Amino acid sequence: MFKTIIVMVINFVMMFTIKAEALQLKLLWEKKLPFAITDLQMAGVSGDIILSSKWSKQIILYDKGGNERFHWGPKVDRQPLEIGISEDGNYIIYVTAWTEEYVWNNNINLQEFGWNHKVHYVTKKGKELWNKEVGGMLYLSPNGQLIAAGAGAGEGPEGDFVLMNSIGNILWNYSNNSGDDNIIFSPDSNYIALSSNPFYKLRLFDKSGNMLWERPYTEGIVSISENANYISICPYNYSEIRHNGMVYDKNGNVVIEGFGVLSGDGKSLLMLYTDKITLMNLPQKATIKEYSIQAALSMIKSPIRETSYLLELSYDGRFVVVVGKKVGDMLNNNLFIIDVQEDKLLEMSAGVINTDGRVGIFLTKDGKYLLVHIYEEHKILYYQVY
């Protein structure tokens, strides 16, 4: 979810002719913040963005015009951790915890007291509708009506996965005896994919709590399509990315082996190979386009999350965003935006985006707006793609 990236360069070659005058990428606004960002999310439809900073104890919501719409903090006794925003931007969750200083100064025994995390459910205007003591990671569904919490969450026993509704009531829980959960909702909010360590299981549930299937795994969930028709997973080990990735269908059958990122509608799959990236259609698995640039494929490594990769597709698969280099270019990585339908490509110069450090990219569902986060510089840049 939070897309701060440690870059690892992988080569691939352009397999067809691309017109350089492709897209009109326009910088709408940029902000250089006076603090490091802990978690960052973008609303898929409205284009609003929300960010948290554990260190400065703040949460800020910006609309797509760069205007500040909501500001929480700074607080003396609590600090924000992970956050979530519905795709329409109307609902937000954020998690707060006592600061180390507060725990120390008040001689609080966390093991005796229990979890000190609290989830807050608020509107985009900052009105808090409810809050609840929780444990584990929190995830908001795209429609904003469901909250998934990892192991040890909510009112269930430690080791339970919990699903709550928009008024904070627990709908159901599942005991997986895990302390490490990776959770992702389908774009329609009707399905939840859950991966759990240390028992390495990948499970697919519907929103009513029915487990549809379970598979052994050693990977993280990369993406899931509408109606959970496809789920892609990938190993945490960089060297294994091209070998151990897997794409499953809704019935838990392996569709294709290798690392892939799905479009939201489930009709396109962007696959990474050693020397190229290939865009395929589904379910036919026929090649639509092939590209080879020196791409920077990178796993998320943030203070909060590590479940996404530096390849973005619009919901319909028309627009692809990749950070990488031209073949033979040993300098900074560039940002490539591809309009697959029009067979066009735009390359942003290295002077604009330097990815020698950590960087994150977010694309709205229609591919119209792009958010770039440069971690070390505490900078966010907001673009219009077309």
Side-chain angles (χ1 to χ4, degrees), residues 67-358:
N67 304 300
E68 185 179 299
R69 295 302 186 187
F70 167 64
H71 194 157
W72 178 94
K75 301 294 184 182
V76 175
D77 60 339
R78 300 194 74 84
Q79 58 194 5
L81 299 174
E82 65 261 29
I83 51 179
I85 187 167
S86 59
E87 64 179 12
D88 61 9
N90 289 328
Y91 297 99
I92 295 162
I93 62 167
Y94 60 89
V95 176
T96 63
W98 286 324
T99 63
E100 293 180 3
E101 295 83 359
Y102 183 82
V103 171
W104 177 266
N105 292 335
N106 290 274
N107 295 316
I108 296 173
N109 186 327
L110 291 182
Q111 288 185 333
E112 180 180 313
F113 185 86
W115 292 106
N116 74 324
H117 290 188
K118 181 181 290 187
V119 60
H120 307 255
Y121 187 86
V122 303
T123 68
K124 68 184 305 179
K125 294 183 178 180
K127 180 182 178 181
E128 184 170 300
L129 302 181
W130 55 268
N131 64 68
K132 191 173 194 137
E133 296 290 335
V134 297
M137 297 291 292
L138 273 292
Y139 301 80
L140 184 65
S141 63
N143 64 9
Q145 299 304 299
L146 299 170
I147 299 96
E155 297 170 350
E158 184 173 347
D160 273 16
F161 164 81
V162 172
L163 188 72
M164 295 181 282
N165 61 17
S166 59
I167 58 174
N169 294 331
I170 293 179
L171 300 176
W172 53 270
N173 63 286
Y174 178 80
S175 181
N176 54 22
N177 298 313
S178 166
D180 184 12
D181 290 331
N182 177 204
I183 301 165
I184 187 169
F185 282 94
S186 60
D188 53 16
S189 302
N190 290 327
Y191 296 88
I192 306 108
L194 166 68
S195 64
S196 305
N197 292 325
F199 300 102
Y200 303 111
K201 296 290 186 180
L202 173 67
R203 301 177 177 96
L204 179 65
F205 295 88
D206 64 23
K207 66 180 181 181
S208 298
N210 301 306
M211 186 170 69
L212 305 182
W213 50 262
E214 175 184 272
R215 298 289 182 270
Y217 92 113
T218 58
E219 350 288 322
I221 306 170
V222 177
S223 55
I224 183 171
S225 69
E226 193 86 12
N227 201 36
N229 287 329
Y230 300 99
I231 301 172
S232 68
I233 62 174
C234 187
Y236 291 125
N237 186 338
Y238 290 138
S239 64
E240 300 297 323
I241 284 176
R242 293 181 299 276
H243 307 292
N244 287 355
M246 205 88 67
V247 179
Y248 292 97
D249 65 16
K250 190 173 184 177
N251 297 315
N253 302 312
V254 176
V255 175
I256 190 168
E257 295 186 7
F259 170 64
V261 178
L262 295 158
S263 62
D265 63 6
K267 296 179 181 180
S268 301
L269 174 67
L270 186 65
M271 293 293 298
L272 170 71
Y273 298 104
T274 303
D275 60 349
K276 62 185 176 182
I277 56 172
T278 300
L279 190 65
M280 300 178 175
N281 60 12
L282 291 172
Q284 298 87 348
K285 295 187 287 185
T287 297
I288 302 172
K289 302 287 184 183
E290 289 186 339
Y291 309 82
S292 176
I293 302 165
Q294 281 186 314
L297 173 70
S298 310
M299 179 175 291
I300 301 312
K301 291 291 183 185
S302 80
I304 294 296
R305 309 183 190 276
E306 49 180 347
T307 57
S308 298
Y309 297 78
L310 194 54
L311 294 170
E312 284 284 291
L313 275 75
S314 59
Y315 178 84
D316 60 3
R318 174 175 175 175
F319 296 96
V320 176
V321 180
V322 179
V323 172
K325 303 176 182 180
K326 290 182 178 178
V327 173
D329 184 355
M330 301 306 294
L331 300 176
N332 295 327
N333 291 288
N334 294 347
L335 184 69
F336 295 89
I337 303 168
I338 302 167
D339 183 340
V340 176
Q341 181 175 305
E342 297 296 324
D343 192 9
K344 295 180 178 180
L345 178 146
L346 180 68
E347 179 182 359
M348 185 190 297
S349 69
V352 178
I353 176 170
N354 183 339
T355 59
D356 287 342
R358 291 183 286 177

